[in-house]
Amino acid sequence: MRISHITRRTYILHVIFWLAWVISFTFIQTLNEGVDSLFIWLMYYLITLPVFVVHTYLIAYWLLPITFFKNRYLWFAIGIFALLVVFSVIELLVSNYLVYMLFDESRMFDSGFLNFKNIVISGVGNHYIILVFLAIKAGSSWYRAENQKEELLRSTLETELEIFRYQLQPKIVLVLINELELLTQKGAEHAPEMIINISNFLNRFLFEGKEELIPLEQDVKLLEEFMAIHNHALDHRLTNNFIVSGNLKSYVVPPLLLLPFINSAIKIAYECNENYESTVIIKAERKYLLFSFTFWSENNFTIANDEDNKITYRRLHYNFPGKHRLVENIDDNFREFSIEIYP
């Protein structure tokens, strides 16, 4: 056992536990025998406390790690019995010659008290404190391990989302440039106006969309401008509906949660000479927030699984743990992605 391995908090909890044990069992013994026995039982538990502490810590921090945790159950049983005998003898000697002899000789044991029967009975009777301590230690170890696991997962997620935020701006710029290039290859008449629209959107996004959370009103404006760029670029081949309702001022949200789904769908419209209809719905109610994106065509299409879609799940889990739901409705010529948030 190495006390240096015990954290300061754990050390304080151990001290509180042992003091509580001394006080509580002194009180219990006093109730049984009357207030006149208060002093003798207090002395008994204070003087024998080191015996119980050393016995308990030897089992918890030495015997368990080298036997039980390594599946050496026979050696664990032998060690438990050996420690029981040794510390039962010590406890009987300490209580008889350091407690009863000094403070109440009437309680001293008869000669020959160190027999096997008394040793086993005393040892087994004293093991309840060890069992209680081990149960508390096991519970605290499990709780600490779960907290550390949760903190590690959260730290990993925070790092991943931070990387995503740094990558989001250049990714959007790259996507828009690629789509502008595709547009100019088919005809340059719309390119100048699209360049202006892209510039206006990026000016707003680079300054307003860089935070982890932004006001919902700003997010709506960013999505409106983003969809307007594609609506203008694709002309009659994309019909875009943008529906907003409710009190937007009540919410802050991660910027552009719908963007991965929109990008995956819009990419098809640039690559295929078909007509498409998209609908973005943002609905803000009291304790309910809805983001919905629908993409439809008369002909069948397939949206590839985009890795960026997975980050949306992680962003929702990080910012709204246990308070969100993401629903996908998929058909041959229809895709719907809905994000429901319950703040």
Side-chain angles (χ1 to χ4, degrees):
M1 178 187 64
R2 298 179 62 182
I3 300 299
S4 59
H5 286 177
I6 302 175
T7 65
R8 182 178 179 183
R9 181 181 178 184
T10 303
Y11 176 76
I12 293 173
L13 290 175
H14 285 195
V15 171
I16 293 173
F17 170 79
W18 288 113
L19 288 178
W21 176 73
V22 169
I23 294 172
S24 60
F25 279 93
T26 298
F27 177 72
I28 291 172
Q29 294 289 1
T30 302
L31 286 178
N32 291 334
E33 299 186 9
V35 70
D36 293 339
S37 64
L38 173 63
F39 178 74
I40 183 63
W41 284 116
L42 179 61
M43 290 299 101
Y44 169 82
Y45 286 112
L46 286 176
I47 293 174
T48 58
L49 180 61
V51 178
F52 291 114
V53 171
V54 174
H55 188 187
T56 302
Y57 284 4
L58 278 175
I59 293 176
Y61 295 101
W62 175 69
L63 185 62
L64 279 173
I66 67 172
T67 58
F68 190 84
F69 293 160
K70 294 183 179 180
N71 300 325
R72 299 172 180 172
Y73 303 120
L74 178 60
W75 284 108
F76 175 71
I78 294 172
I80 282 285
F81 182 77
L83 290 175
L84 179 149
V85 172
V86 170
F87 282 94
S88 179
V89 170
I90 295 173
E91 187 270 332
L92 288 171
L93 291 173
V94 169
S95 60
N96 194 56
Y97 295 112
L98 291 182
V99 180
Y100 300 148
M101 178 179 287
L102 295 178
F103 301 105
D104 189 352
E105 293 185 356
S106 64
R107 296 176 181 269
M108 291 185 65
F109 303 127
D110 296 331
S111 58
F113 67 94
L114 286 179
N115 56 65
F116 183 76
K117 179 180 177 181
N118 285 344
I119 291 173
V120 172
I121 292 174
S122 176
V124 172
N126 290 333
H127 265 59
Y128 65 88
I129 185 61
I130 297 174
L131 295 176
V132 171
F133 179 86
L134 292 179
I136 294 174
K137 181 180 181 296
S140 63
S141 297
W142 174 84
Y143 180 77
R144 187 163 53 250
E146 288 297 311
N147 277 350
Q148 290 174 349
K149 180 181 178 182
E150 186 176 338
E151 288 175 4
L152 179 61
L153 291 175
R154 187 170 183 84
S155 176
T156 303
L157 182 57
E158 287 175 352
T159 302
E160 185 178 2
L161 293 180
E162 187 174 359
I163 293 173
F164 172 78
R165 286 198 299 273
Y166 284 123
Q167 293 176 340
L168 183 60
Q169 293 178 351
K171 276 187 177 181
I172 290 180
V173 173
L174 182 61
V175 166
L176 293 176
I177 290 175
N178 288 339
E179 290 169 0
L180 178 60
E181 183 179 355
L182 289 173
L183 184 65
T184 54
Q185 289 174 356
K186 295 180 180 181
E189 64 274 9
H190 294 300
E193 191 171 351
M194 187 172 179
I195 291 173
I196 294 174
N197 292 337
I198 290 175
S199 177
N200 291 335
F201 167 77
L202 290 177
N203 283 335
R204 179 185 294 275
F205 174 68
L206 294 176
F207 288 101
E208 296 180 0
K210 62 183 179 180
E211 301 297 332
E212 180 182 330
L213 297 172
I214 64 173
L216 181 56
E217 288 179 308
Q218 290 183 9
D219 192 59
V220 169
K221 291 178 182 177
L222 288 171
L223 281 175
E224 281 180 325
E225 293 182 3
F226 188 77
M227 293 303 299
I229 291 172
H230 299 297
N231 195 46
H232 177 78
L234 294 168
D235 199 13
H236 66 279
R237 293 199 296 111
L238 177 64
T239 301
N240 180 41
N241 306 299
F242 205 96
I243 303 170
V244 180
S245 63
N247 182 13
L248 305 184
K249 296 181 179 180
S250 302
Y251 294 99
V252 291
V253 294
L256 301 177
L257 277 172
L258 284 176
L259 185 66
F261 308 112
I262 294 174
N263 269 339
S264 298
I266 295 296
K267 187 184 298 184
I268 296 175
Y270 281 95
E271 296 173 351
C272 302
N273 191 23
E274 304 287 348
N275 293 330
Y276 299 91
E277 181 176 348
S278 71
T279 301
V280 174
I281 299 175
I282 298 177
K283 184 177 182 181
E285 296 181 352
R286 186 173 180 270
K287 296 185 177 181
Y288 177 75
L289 183 59
L290 171 68
F291 291 88
S292 177
F293 174 69
T294 304
F295 199 68
W296 175 86
S297 175
E298 291 185 353
N299 300 310
N300 297 345
F301 61 86
T302 300
I303 297 179
N305 291 327
D306 194 332
E307 279 297 315
D308 283 345
N309 291 357
K310 297 179 181 179
I311 201 68
T312 302
Y313 290 92
R314 296 186 178 93
R315 295 173 77 191
L316 288 169
H317 181 71
Y318 179 77
N319 290 286
F320 309 101
K323 297 181 179 180
H324 68 273
R325 189 165 71 110
L326 199 153
V327 181
E328 298 184 30
N329 294 321
I330 300 175
D331 206 343
D332 292 337
N333 64 337
F334 175 85
R335 297 290 188 278
E336 181 183 14
F337 305 93
S338 297
I339 298 172
E340 298 177 350
I341 300 173
Y342 311 92

